[in-house]
Amino acid sequence: MKFLSTKRTLLSLAASVLAVLILRAPGLDYGTSYAANPLGPAAADLANFSALAPIDAHVHLYKDDPAFGAFLGRLNLRILNICVIDDRDPYAKGLEPQRSDALKVVHSTAGRAVFCTTFSPYDFEEPGFGRRAIQQLDADFAAVAIAVKIYKVMGMEMKSKAGKYVMPDDPAFEPIYRDIAAHNRTVVAHLAEPDSCWQPPNPASPDYEYYQQNPQEYAYAHPEWPSKAAILAARDHLVAENPNLRVIGAHLGSMETDVTQMARRFDRFPNFAVDTAARVPYFMLQPRDKVRAFLIKYQDRILYGTDLGAMPKDETEKALAEWTDTYARDWKFFATDQTVEYKGHSYQGLALPGPVLHKIFHDNAVHWLPGIMGTE
Ligand SMILES: [Zn+2]
């Protein structure tokens, strides 16, 4: 029965999307006043969002439930569905079962969920490591993968046999990066973490709850780990060494507290972009005018992403409620000058110009993730 009500909500949402599309066609209006919508501001926000054919460049959806495909269809949304290997997480220990689960989702969403594969970096000192990883990636590319995730276990967990922390620019990974570039695929690089990972617990931090729940990932409790600066320097080095490789720094490239840090990298590296996954609140915490000017100046380098997802055991209805809220909040923040609430504070939306929204929510993903629109 719960599902029925979700279905009804989605149906009426779809109807309102359609109504607003018809009302607003053909010219899109990204202004701040929406037509009165009986379903409330969330539905109105999502109607304008859907009109862009939005792309969420950072999702982890492993639950194969037709409701997700229906949701994506109704919102006119495509997602990059990202696999990640982390030996500290029972589900993510290896590429399976997540690859199979993610591929089922590709099919059940009629291709709206697009597959981003990964490789296990853990045996990087074993003979034949690079050759095996390349073979696996090439098979994934030949199937459906359009991108490859690399993860923060590089720099924050993995050690060589000699006891040194392994950085993302380690020569062992270089042939793999070259192979990805040769196949015109993209690297999604989640390297390092927010600054708060290295700082004492602070309940006001957007990440406070995460490190309370995941103490094994909390660098503050592991002073022996490399510094954040050292990890980002290694990331920058790999970007510089591979000018033909597109690299998307996940989570604002872990430069979330000051947009100036991103601007510096964009100026230096034409092959580098970022996604906004799970870091939109950090834009709210910085001066509005500074963030707005940054997003306008670097409008070709920012891909909208959320880090939303669902594990096979998660409740679909609960997950989709969270997806709806997140898309509505983010759209309101980027597209309007209305007030957005976050952790008990109010922030004014950025009211970005229409063409900039079009790039952040659609065009940039098309450019930086060739294949995201399918191969038709
Ligand atoms: Zn993620």
Side-chain angles (χ1 to χ4, degrees):
M1 284 307 105
K2 273 203 246 163
F3 177 65
L4 256 182
S5 69
T6 308
K7 214 171 163 185
R8 200 174 304 126
T9 312
L10 288 172
L11 281 173
S12 41
L13 179 63
S16 79
V17 166
L18 198 64
V20 176
L21 282 177
I22 291 164
L23 278 174
R24 290 182 174 254
L28 291 176
D29 169 15
Y30 302 99
T32 53
S33 65
Y34 291 109
N37 189 308
L39 293 168
D45 286 351
L46 287 175
N48 289 277
F49 171 78
S50 296
L52 291 186
I55 299 169
D56 182 342
H58 196 132
V59 171
H60 304 280
L61 175 56
Y62 305 118
K63 180 164 187 183
D64 180 29
D65 182 326
F68 288 102
F71 179 89
L72 296 178
R74 282 169 187 140
L75 284 192
N76 195 23
L77 176 65
R78 302 182 80 85
I79 59 175
L80 184 67
N81 199 19
I82 301 176
C83 286
V84 54
I85 292 180
D86 181 344
D87 67 357
R88 301 166 295 189
D89 174 339
Y91 180 76
K93 261 189 188 316
L95 199 49
E96 291 299 341
Q98 45 174 327
R99 172 163 52 185
S100 299
D101 289 340
L103 288 175
K104 279 184 216 153
V105 171
V106 170
H107 291 289
S108 68
T109 59
R112 283 188 177 272
V114 181
F115 180 50
C116 173
T117 189
T118 189
F119 59 91
S120 173
Y122 287 104
D123 58 342
F124 75 101
E125 284 179 305
E126 300 303 320
F129 160 74
R131 187 177 40 78
R132 277 193 306 278
I134 287 170
Q135 250 170 27
Q136 175 235 307
L137 291 178
D138 289 357
D140 285 343
F141 296 152
V144 284
I146 68 159
V148 180
K149 167 98 160 201
I150 59 173
Y151 196 49
K152 65 183 179 186
V153 296
M154 298 173 177
M156 298 183 74
E157 186 207 357
M158 287 172 53
K159 278 184 183 171
S160 68
K161 285 175 186 153
K164 262 191 79 192
Y165 283 90
V166 177
M167 290 299 196
D169 63 341
D170 192 281
F173 305 125
E174 188 52 35
I176 301 173
Y177 300 143
R178 282 202 294 269
D179 180 70
I180 298 168
H183 285 81
N184 195 29
R185 296 322 202 264
T186 305
V187 165
V188 176
H190 175 174
L191 299 170
E193 280 282 88
D195 289 1
S196 60
C197 182
W198 280 265
Q199 294 165 352
N202 168 13
S205 159
D207 321 298
Y208 176 73
E209 288 80 10
Y210 184 84
Y211 295 118
Q212 294 293 303
Q213 287 156 19
N214 299 279
Q216 76 286 359
E217 298 179 22
Y218 191 19
Y220 178 71
H222 298 274
E224 73 281 11
W225 288 1
S227 68
K228 179 166 177 176
I231 301 168
L232 290 192
R235 187 273 316 273
D236 290 348
H237 182 234
L238 111 73
V239 173
E241 288 288 286
N242 292 276
N244 298 322
L245 178 66
R246 284 181 304 274
V247 179
I248 299 172
H251 312 297
L252 299 182
S254 295
M255 297 172 290
E256 68 289 333
T257 54
D258 183 355
V259 294
T260 312
Q261 297 180 40
M262 281 183 270
R264 247 182 253 135
R265 267 62 172 208
F266 294 153
D267 291 342
R268 276 171 67 195
F269 308 125
N271 56 326
F272 184 66
V274 298
D275 76 37
T276 65
R279 300 291 181 270
V280 172
Y282 279 99
F283 282 148
M284 298 175 190
L285 297 172
Q286 294 175 59
R288 180 179 182 271
D289 290 349
K290 185 178 176 183
V291 170
R292 195 171 187 278
F294 164 80
L295 290 171
I296 291 171
K297 179 165 182 192
Y298 296 99
Q299 57 184 270
D300 298 312
R301 305 292 195 97
I302 294 113
L303 286 74
Y304 178 64
T306 58
D307 218 13
L308 289 167
M311 302 301 287
K313 284 180 187 148
D314 285 351
E315 260 180 65
T316 299
E317 188 182 352
K318 233 172 127 183
L320 284 180
E322 192 196 350
W323 288 37
T324 305
D325 286 351
T326 302
Y327 291 130
R329 181 206 65 180
D330 289 354
W331 178 252
K332 193 174 173 188
F333 176 67
F334 285 110
T336 82
D337 62 2
Q338 295 167 30
T339 298
V340 180
E341 301 294 323
Y342 178 71
K343 280 205 162 190
H345 294 274
S346 299
Y347 300 94
Q348 192 192 356
L350 298 171
L352 291 172
V356 175
L357 291 169
H358 212 284
K359 285 187 178 179
I360 292 174
F361 284 86
H362 179 87
D363 298 347
N364 294 345
V366 173
H367 174 80
W368 287 87
L369 294 164
I372 191 76
M373 297 306 288
T375 47
E376 70 274 12

